[in-house]
Structure formats: C-alpha cells, structure tokens
Amino acid sequence: MKISRRELLTAGVISGAAMAAGLASGAQAGIEDTGLVGVKKSEPKKGAVLQIASQEGRIPGKDLPEKIAKMEKWDIDGLEVGGRGLEKRVTEIKSVLANSKIKMTAICAGFDGALMSDDAAIRKQCVDSMKVILTAAGELGSTGLIYVPAFNGQTKLDHIEGRKVLLDQLPELCEFASQAGTRMLLEPLNRKETWYVRLVADAAAICRDVGHPAACVMGDFYHMFVEETSDMGAFLSGGEMLRHVHLASIRRNLPGQDERDYTNGFKGLKMLGYRDFCSFECGCIGDPEVEIPKSVKFLREQWKKA
Ligand code: MG
C-alpha cells in the first residue's frame, strides 16, 4: 500500500496520541506500536465493510413496509429508528424486518431528561426511560442506544462535576444494556448543540473510564466537520468502541450534496476493520426518491477510493 507523507504523519500522530491516552482501543484497532515506523500496522484491517443505513424519517413512504421496500431497492442495508415509544413498536418492526434483507441498527435517543442534568430527579427520569428503550432495543437486536449526556442548557454542571455524574450512572446503565443484549452509544456533537462531549476521543475517554464492554461511542460526519482535526483520527480514537456512524454533509444534507469528502474518515474505518453501520441523519435538497439513491452510490464510490 502506498501511503503519502501526510497520511503517514497523521497515522503517527494519532497512534502516539492514542498510546499517550492509554487507549486499549488503539491496540484493538491494530495500530499499536506504530509511531512513525509501523506503517504496515496502519494499513487497513481486512474485513471492513460499508453498510449504509438510514433513519426511518429520512426515507419517504406512508408506512414502514413501504420505506423498507424502497431502502432495499436503493441498496441500503440497515434501519435506524427513534427510541420514543419503541417498546410499543417492537412487534411491528420485527415483523417488517423479518421479510427483508434490511437489518436493525442503532436506536436514536427518545428518552426523557438528561443523564448529566444537575437535577437528580431529572437524571433518574432519564435512566428509567433509557431502560425501557434499552429493553426494546435488545429485543430488536439493535447496535445500541444513541445518547448525548446533555445538550446546551440542560445542565448547570461543569466538566468535572458532569463527568462524575456520568461515571456514577453509566456502569449500571451499560450493565443493563448488556443484559438486554445491546449497548450505550455516546454521541459527540458540535459546540452549538453541546459543549460537553464534542470529539470522538472525548467520548472514548469517558467510555474507557466506565470500563464496560457496552460503553461505546459513535461519530457523526456533520459534527465531526465542525470539531475534529481529522476524520480518520477521530474514528481511530474510538477504536473498537466505535459502533455507529451518522452520515451528513457540511450543511447536514445527504452526502454528495456539497463538497464534503468522506474518504479520510472511511480510511479510518477501514483501518479499524469497521463492520457496523453508517446511517443517514440528514436533510435532502431536492426529491429524496432521486437524491437518496444518488447519495448511496456516491458513498460507495468514496468507500472504494478510501
Ligand atoms: Mg448524529
């Protein structure tokens, strides 16, 4: 594999940073001991695959069966649904997916309150409602429940107090998720939405402190464009804790609808041997019936180039 000097330096800086942080995930990702020397070890791991999913709301259609039929036709692999009221939809979703090649992926939020609220009653409300969703998520074979500890305005806690509160609650929630057969997926956002966890590395460091196999992270190309210095670096810092990706352009439309390039991030996913889903969470300029299949094709080309 030919590797440019820039890529080599990036890989070296990333692996150095990962090792400095003591991230076990670095070793799991096959980038241990790389420094600037181990170029071979930063080559893509075998087995990475681009599995494209979509949030249910992104797909046009009058009901779930109609949406699923379109997703199959458009070469989409997975479905992401919202968590609110999920417990009432388990039977419906299971039966629609049973007759389809579309697989269940992550569950997007839908709980009450905020895990990092300064109000203990709101934190409890959050934990209780998360458990209901996690049970349903497990029944559906979901990758995990996507959560943000607190959006801007949802907490008065600072970083030190906020982290303590998170670490007080996450071990129990992760164990609950694990028993249910799913995971907790911490999503970093950009600063306009949350100041607390903005980098995949921040999320990974919190999950490392939790130290539970169900404590996992995800990355969102839209937020990453605002906050990360390297898409590849961001994904590598997640290592094996990276279990979901959101797809959106710079202006949060379908990939391919602006100048955003995905190849650097996809290279990172290939290095990790990533086999989980990359899911549309975005708007659309124009007719989705035309634009979604175009975006799928664009992403598969970007993956090939990466
Ligand atoms: Mg997202």
Side-chain angles (χ1 to χ4, degrees):
M1 173 197 176
K2 269 197 174 172
I3 188 160
S4 72
R5 184 168 179 273
R6 187 187 157 86
E7 285 166 341
L8 175 61
L9 287 171
T10 305
V13 168
I14 291 156
S15 60
M19 283 190 295
L23 284 176
S25 54
Q28 288 158 347
I31 57 167
E32 77 283 9
D33 302 330
T34 47
L36 287 177
V37 183
V39 177
K40 280 182 189 166
K41 288 187 180 173
S42 67
E43 284 180 351
K45 275 176 101 177
K46 285 198 179 78
V49 56
L50 177 63
Q51 296 205 86
I52 298 175
S54 178
Q55 290 192 340
E56 183 180 10
R58 174 62 279 148
I59 306 295
K62 67 176 188 311
D63 55 21
L64 189 57
E66 193 177 310
K67 288 170 187 240
I68 292 292
K70 284 181 183 170
M71 289 164 79
E72 287 189 325
K73 195 171 78 181
W74 294 341
D75 192 26
I76 293 174
D77 308 291
L79 172 73
E80 176 181 328
V81 298
R84 183 148 314 267
L86 188 67
E87 70 280 9
K88 298 186 200 95
R89 298 191 64 202
V90 171
T91 311
E92 173 213 0
I93 296 171
K94 262 188 173 173
S95 72
V96 176
L97 294 186
N99 301 312
S100 155
K101 73 171 180 73
I102 305 290
K103 296 180 219 77
M104 191 65 221
T105 75
I107 307 298
C108 194
F111 44 82
D112 298 318
L115 209 52
M116 216 185 79
S117 171
D118 48 290
D119 182 332
I122 292 179
R123 293 199 296 271
K124 181 170 185 320
Q125 185 189 27
C126 184
V127 169
D128 291 347
S129 58
M130 278 179 164
K131 286 180 175 173
V132 174
I133 301 171
L134 286 168
T135 301
E139 286 178 51
L140 288 166
S142 163
T143 320
L145 170 62
I146 299 167
Y147 70 102
V148 173
F151 286 89
N152 289 337
Q154 278 189 314
T155 188
K156 295 192 186 82
L157 302 181
D158 64 19
H159 280 240
I160 297 168
E161 294 165 321
R163 195 179 184 99
K164 186 177 177 307
V165 157
L166 267 188
L167 292 176
D168 282 347
Q169 299 168 102
L170 279 173
E172 186 209 336
L173 269 172
C174 288
E175 182 55 26
F176 188 93
S178 184
Q179 294 290 330
T182 188
R183 303 180 187 88
M184 292 286 289
L185 303 175
L186 179 48
E187 181 176 23
L189 306 180
N190 77 74
R191 63 195 67 189
K192 287 183 186 162
E193 298 185 35
T194 185
W195 271 99
Y196 192 72
V197 184
R198 293 179 290 124
L199 303 175
V200 176
D202 288 338
I206 290 167
C207 290
R208 180 203 59 187
D209 286 357
V210 175
H212 191 289
C216 292
V217 304
M218 60 162 293
D220 181 323
F221 273 99
Y222 166 71
H223 299 293
M224 286 162 62
F225 184 79
V226 180
E227 299 291 348
E228 303 281 357
T229 53
S230 157
D231 291 335
M232 184 199 287
F235 287 146
L236 291 184
S237 68
E240 286 208 344
M241 289 185 278
L242 184 82
R243 302 307 297 237
H244 197 61
V245 170
H246 274 160
L247 295 164
S249 69
I250 296 168
R251 286 171 280 282
R252 216 170 198 177
N253 289 310
L254 286 166
Q257 295 200 312
D258 63 28
E259 65 272 31
R260 180 73 155 115
D261 185 275
Y262 300 82
T263 55
N264 182 261
F266 284 172
K267 275 181 192 165
L269 296 181
K270 285 184 175 180
M271 285 180 190
L272 292 174
Y274 184 80
R275 299 183 68 84
D276 285 286
F277 290 86
C278 297
S279 179
F280 289 130
E281 182 187 51
C282 56
C284 168
I285 303 167
D287 181 1
E289 303 267 355
V290 177
E291 298 300 325
I292 294 173
K294 262 167 67 180
S295 183
V296 171
K297 192 163 171 275
F298 166 78
L299 287 165
R300 299 217 183 272
E301 284 162 7
Q302 291 263 295
W303 182 264
K304 257 187 219 154
K305 269 194 225 167

